[in-house]
Amino acid sequence: MFTLIHKFGTETGETYPVLSERDDIIVIADEAHRTQYDTLALNLRNALPNAAFLAFTGTPLIAGEERTREVFGDYVSVYNFRQSIEDRATVPLYYENRSPEVQLVNPEFDRDMESILEEAELDQDQEQRLAREFAREYHLITDDDRLDTVAADLVDHFISRGYQGKGMVISIDKATAIKMYDRVRVEWNRRVDQLRDEVESATGEHRDALEDKLAGMIGTDMAVVVSASQNEIAEMASRSVDIEPHRKRIKDEDLATKFKDPLDPLRLVFVCAMWLTGFDAPATSTIYLDKPMRNHTLMQTIARANRVSQSKKAGEIIDY
């Protein structure tokens, strides 16, 4: 029997009824780190008081995530990154910090903002709360000069990689994801013009290599992938962002299938919450992080880059 945890909701003050007192029932909870600690989980246990409970979680054993073990008991089996790599089920991940220098006066900034971002999918009210409560820090992260610096570095890194896999740019919110797309586009076109000039003055094998690089850049497609919300056109316009062409493309095209296809020219996507969990595109080799993240949300996000694909030897996390 399959069910969803929210089916075990009750009105305030109500007690969930006992459904069965049998002791040969096994309840298997997937993604157990998300919804197995509060009222819904208690209702489930009240409904099946003698059942055995077994949990699955993709979350590694990291500090602050001990509750799964407390609720379900000791580990029956642990399958970690190292074993996964040895089995060739995933590829190694390499991490590089490339943070632009900014003045940050709140030493608890990361943890404070992460607590708001932990839900991953921010609605309009949450985004406004984020901007309101962390006005100074939010301004630093979304500062135009900083985004220009990140965009220039991102383009430089993306076109200079060895394995030319697909890339995901993770921004703090939808408006910033679109702003990053716009800036990367500007920098990308500048590099294309610069490369054309270099091709004109080059000769021999060097010219051939530059022409190949130029063709790859000209043939690269990019897209913004963000969830829809009410009044988003007016809301984004108030932040000097035009979401309409991106929303049209999301509706008209199957961007997920395009991005999963290693031969499709859609090679770089800009997101803030969508596609971070439960979305497998093995050709993805690089994650550009420009959003405070932690625990299972962080681990599931970076795992987008460790899937086995063709000649990919490793994935990389570029942390801004």
Side-chain angles (χ1 to χ4, degrees):
M1 180 180 294
F2 293 86
T3 185
L4 300 174
I5 190 68
H6 75 262
K7 297 291 186 181
F8 292 86
T10 56
E11 296 294 331
T12 303
E14 288 186 3
T15 299
Y16 204 90
V18 174
L19 299 180
S20 175
E21 294 184 346
R22 287 170 53 169
D23 61 3
D24 59 351
I25 294 174
I26 300 174
V27 179
I28 302 175
D30 194 19
E31 301 286 4
H33 54 271
R34 291 189 178 273
T35 54
Q36 295 300 315
Y37 314 131
D38 213 331
T39 304
L40 297 177
L42 177 61
N43 290 342
L44 174 59
R45 282 165 165 74
N46 288 338
L48 304 168
N50 299 316
F53 284 78
L54 179 67
F56 287 96
T57 174
T59 305
L61 316 181
I62 49 185
E65 294 271 320
E66 296 88 356
R67 293 192 67 188
T68 307
R69 186 170 183 173
E70 293 173 359
V71 170
F72 288 92
D74 209 352
Y75 299 106
V76 177
S77 176
V78 175
Y79 190 73
N80 59 30
F81 280 152
R82 182 180 298 278
Q83 175 109 36
S84 176
I85 293 168
E86 291 174 354
D87 292 342
R88 298 186 179 178
T90 62
V91 298
L93 283 173
Y94 294 96
Y95 172 89
E96 182 179 353
N97 187 295
R98 297 167 75 103
S99 299
E101 290 188 8
V102 294
Q103 182 183 6
L104 197 58
V105 296
N106 175 10
E108 298 299 317
F109 163 65
D110 275 354
R111 185 160 297 279
D112 291 345
M113 188 168 283
E114 284 162 359
S115 66
I116 293 180
L117 292 171
E118 189 64 24
E119 291 300 319
E121 187 68 33
L122 298 184
D123 59 28
Q124 184 173 321
D125 290 340
Q126 288 171 317
E127 288 188 355
Q128 290 173 348
R129 176 189 167 202
L130 179 71
R132 183 174 64 252
E133 294 193 13
F134 295 93
R136 179 178 295 179
E137 292 86 349
Y138 181 84
H139 173 73
L140 285 173
I141 287 181
T142 59
D143 176 76
D144 287 344
D145 288 342
R146 179 185 178 279
L147 294 182
D148 287 339
T149 301
V150 170
D153 186 79
L154 191 154
V155 171
D156 183 61
H157 179 272
F158 190 80
I159 64 178
S160 302
R161 300 171 303 157
Y163 175 77
Q164 292 287 307
K166 302 201 173 188
M168 299 178 72
V169 183
I170 320 296
S171 294
I172 194 169
D173 58 15
K174 286 184 280 190
T176 310
I178 296 171
K179 289 180 179 180
M180 276 301 300
Y181 169 90
D182 292 339
R183 282 163 169 75
V184 167
R185 270 293 187 194
V186 169
E187 182 63 22
W188 193 274
N189 293 335
R190 189 187 73 79
R191 298 293 182 91
V192 166
D193 292 339
Q194 180 183 353
L195 203 51
R196 282 198 177 104
D197 292 339
E198 293 179 16
V199 168
E200 289 298 321
S201 60
T203 58
E205 293 182 359
H206 181 51
R207 182 187 179 106
D208 293 339
L210 290 177
E211 286 179 339
D212 289 343
K213 187 173 184 178
L214 178 61
M217 291 191 69
I218 294 174
T220 293
D221 186 18
M222 308 176 194
V224 174
V225 182
V226 294
S227 61
S229 60
Q230 289 186 337
N231 304 318
E232 66 177 7
I233 294 176
E235 171 66 19
M236 292 296 106
S238 70
R239 301 175 64 181
S240 303
V241 169
D242 182 9
I243 196 174
E244 288 191 78
H246 303 291
R247 180 61 58 211
K248 183 178 188 304
R249 190 169 184 198
I250 293 169
K251 290 181 178 179
D252 294 348
E253 300 180 37
D254 187 354
L255 296 178
T257 297
K258 287 188 172 187
F259 192 68
K260 290 179 180 182
D261 181 357
L263 300 180
D264 191 275
L266 179 58
R267 300 189 183 108
L268 190 60
V269 293
F270 298 76
V271 305
C272 61
M274 289 183 67
W275 293 6
L276 299 190
T277 61
F279 177 81
D280 274 350
T284 304
S285 63
T286 309
I287 301 294
Y288 297 97
L289 276 181
D290 199 24
K291 172 180 180 176
M293 305 179 84
R294 62 174 176 171
N295 296 345
H296 64 265
T297 306
L298 172 63
M299 302 313 294
Q300 290 188 338
T301 297
I302 67 176
R304 300 311 101 210
N306 74 351
R307 302 305 193 242
V308 174
S309 175
Q310 299 174 333
S311 59
K312 182 167 72 171
K313 304 296 184 185
E316 54 185 341
I317 312 300
I318 307 301
D319 187 1
Y320 290 113

